[in-house]
Amino acid sequence: MKITFLGAAKEVTGSCYLVETENARFLVDCGMFQGGEVEDELNYQEFIFDIKDIDFVLLTHAHIDHSGRIPVLYKRGYRKRIYATHATVDLCRYMLPDSGHIQEMESEWKNRKRKRAGKPLRDPLYTAEEAEESISIFYGVDYGEVIEPAPHIKVRFNDAGHMLGSSIIEVWVNEKGKETKIVFSGDLGNKKVPLLRDVTPINEADYVLCESTYGNRIHEEVGDRAKRLMEIITRTIKRGGNVIIPSFAVGRTQEILYELHKERDLYKDEIEFLNNIPVYVDSPLATSITDVFAKHPECLDDEAREYIKKGEMPLDFPNLHFTHSAEESKALNEIKTPMIIISASGMCEAGRIKHHLKHNLWRPECTVLFVGYQAKGTLGGNF
């Protein structure tokens, strides 16, 4: 057996492993490289493998740095199965076409510059339509279900606690009568992440391939994080400013909404005035993804499911608003009273967040609150 690292080695994006056994060849993840121009150029390189030789793909979770080049596989002729949890498949139905839309817009903008410079034009990496078509080869599986995607290979998806549907993937490979177990961690969640179940423990393996994005730091306690969030919001609102939160449309946005939902009960006496402060989720993708969370209670922790049993949706509260059109988004900057705006993208590279930064970054009473990882070379990483 041979494993080749095709991304996310000494960097944090472009996750992709090529696994070659005596019976099959398969990929674990096929993610997009994200960052500056150098990283973006990596997405256009030819794959080092022949697509027709790939027997199947295993997808740990839906984040674009793990799934974002699957439409490229499809565009270049791959038609075999992509295995992922049911929640991951549902997330990809929205996330990959959204990524394709971004590719189209970025390509149009860059082609205008290329044309002025007399350089050849370039097609987008893939279109929204091509990304939507690629969903046809996804195949959903349950957590804990053992599947055999090829002879002498067994696979099981376990909860990674990182985002809705995220997985630690166990793979058993039988070669020459000997069985070897490999574990691909995907991205791992912290303990007691809001909304989600904790990581499923893996008790044994022959080889473990583990993510280490946060391997050089100690995470703060969840309770301390929630308290700091409310303190920052309260302080900003009292001085008449807006709280601008660049947030990933999947996972981090929903965690923040959940924190706001819970903490309003916990700190009701201290911050009763916040009940009248509007919270805007200014991202069509985040709006759709929040609906996917409601569709998959099996991925939620006991506390969140308890809310649902009582008839409460933990990702909803009276002064929460979702914007859809670009006009609605622009209208937010005409509002003179304080508000909270949660907008994508999380690293400030694209989308409506750049519009809100332009209107609020220069105002000393406002706060720009980063709640997720900022990769080197991104706009967020340069702050």
Side-chain angles (χ1 to χ4, degrees):
M1 179 169 43
K2 178 183 177 183
I3 301 177
T4 305
F5 294 74
L6 303 181
K10 299 184 179 180
E11 57 191 334
V12 296
T13 62
S15 293
C16 186
Y17 303 98
L18 171 64
V19 184
E20 300 171 90
T21 77
E22 65 179 22
N23 299 300
R25 282 185 172 190
F26 63 93
L27 300 180
V28 178
D29 290 342
C30 191
M32 184 178 290
F33 293 93
Q34 296 171 305
E37 290 186 12
V38 174
E39 288 80 10
D40 185 57
E41 197 61 32
L42 294 174
N43 294 312
Y44 287 88
Q45 291 184 347
E46 292 295 326
F47 293 111
I48 69 164
F49 50 83
D50 192 329
I51 287 176
K52 70 176 184 298
D53 292 335
I54 301 300
D55 296 294
F56 60 92
V57 177
L58 305 176
L59 178 59
T60 59
H61 64 287
H63 276 147
I64 294 300
D65 61 323
H66 290 256
S67 69
R69 281 193 297 163
I70 286 175
V72 180
L73 279 178
Y74 186 88
K75 183 177 180 178
R76 296 180 184 175
Y78 180 80
R79 292 296 184 272
K80 296 173 186 175
R81 281 185 173 181
I82 296 168
Y83 294 93
T85 63
H86 293 289
T88 295
V89 175
D90 283 342
L91 289 175
C92 285
R93 292 184 198 280
Y94 295 101
M95 295 179 67
L96 292 180
D98 181 76
S99 174
H101 178 61
I102 292 172
Q103 298 305 311
E104 292 179 72
M105 290 193 300
E106 291 288 315
S107 178
E108 182 181 347
W109 175 70
K110 289 178 180 178
N111 276 340
R112 287 199 296 268
K113 294 177 65 177
R114 292 189 186 104
K115 187 175 182 179
R116 288 196 298 268
K119 296 180 179 179
L121 305 185
R122 175 188 269 179
D123 290 335
L125 190 61
Y126 54 86
T127 66
E129 183 178 356
E130 288 166 339
E132 192 168 345
E133 289 172 355
S134 73
I135 302 299
S136 64
I137 58 174
F138 278 67
Y139 185 84
V141 298
D142 295 324
Y143 279 130
E145 177 185 359
V146 177
I147 62 172
E148 293 190 39
H152 308 291
I153 296 176
K154 294 185 295 183
V155 174
R156 180 164 61 197
F157 289 76
N158 305 278
D159 201 328
H162 170 64
M163 68 175 293
L164 194 78
S166 62
S167 301
I168 302 168
I169 300 179
E170 297 173 282
V171 180
W172 291 267
V173 177
N174 196 305
E175 295 179 302
K176 297 181 174 62
K178 180 184 177 183
E179 188 171 76
T180 303
K181 180 181 177 182
I182 317 148
V183 173
F184 297 88
S185 75
D187 286 355
L188 296 170
N190 201 358
K191 292 182 179 178
K192 298 181 181 179
V193 171
L195 276 174
L196 301 178
R197 301 185 304 184
D198 283 346
V199 178
T200 300
I202 306 298
N203 297 319
E204 47 83 27
D206 295 301
Y207 299 95
V208 177
L209 288 83
C210 186
E211 71 105 3
S212 57
T213 304
Y214 295 101
N216 63 345
R217 70 188 67 183
I218 297 174
H219 287 285
E220 62 190 344
E221 292 293 326
V222 172
D224 294 339
R225 185 178 65 193
K227 184 178 179 181
R228 285 184 62 203
L229 172 66
M230 297 311 297
E231 287 174 350
I232 292 168
I233 290 174
T234 303
R235 188 164 61 245
T236 304
I237 298 301
K238 281 184 175 179
R239 66 182 182 229
N242 297 326
V243 180
I244 309 299
I245 305 178
S247 184
F248 301 98
V250 185
R252 199 53 56 92
T253 292
Q254 289 74 28
E255 288 176 23
I256 294 168
L257 293 179
Y258 188 54
E259 295 278 15
L260 291 173
H261 176 90
K262 287 201 311 177
E263 303 313 322
R264 282 164 186 261
D265 292 335
L266 187 60
Y267 298 109
K268 191 171 182 179
D269 293 336
E270 295 92 330
I271 56 171
E272 188 171 343
F273 73 98
L274 272 188
N275 289 329
N276 298 316
I277 301 302
V279 178
Y280 292 94
V281 176
D282 187 27
S283 166
L285 177 59
T287 302
S288 299
I289 296 305
T290 302
D291 291 338
V292 176
F293 269 71
K295 184 180 174 182
H296 289 280
E298 77 278 4
C299 296
L300 306 183
D301 62 16
D302 291 339
E303 183 181 52
R305 287 202 299 271
E306 197 59 39
Y307 274 117
I308 294 171
K309 282 183 183 177
K310 292 188 293 185
E312 297 180 45
M313 182 54 207
L315 298 179
D316 193 15
F317 41 88
N319 56 337
L320 175 64
H321 310 276
F322 293 90
T323 63
H324 298 277
S325 68
E327 289 71 25
E328 288 177 302
S329 175
K330 291 175 182 177
L332 295 180
N333 292 298
E334 302 300 321
I335 299 174
K336 304 303 180 184
T337 52
M339 58 187 157
I340 301 167
I341 300 175
I342 304 170
S343 185
S345 71
M347 296 185 193
C348 306
E349 281 296 281
R352 297 178 179 182
I353 187 60
K354 296 172 82 172
H355 178 70
H356 296 303
L357 290 176
K358 176 183 176 181
H359 284 267
N360 291 274
L361 199 55
W362 56 273
R363 298 174 57 197
E365 68 272 24
C366 295
T367 295
V368 177
L369 179 60
F370 289 97
V371 294
Y373 185 83
Q374 305 299 309
K376 185 177 179 180
T378 63
L379 182 59
N382 290 332
F383 274 100

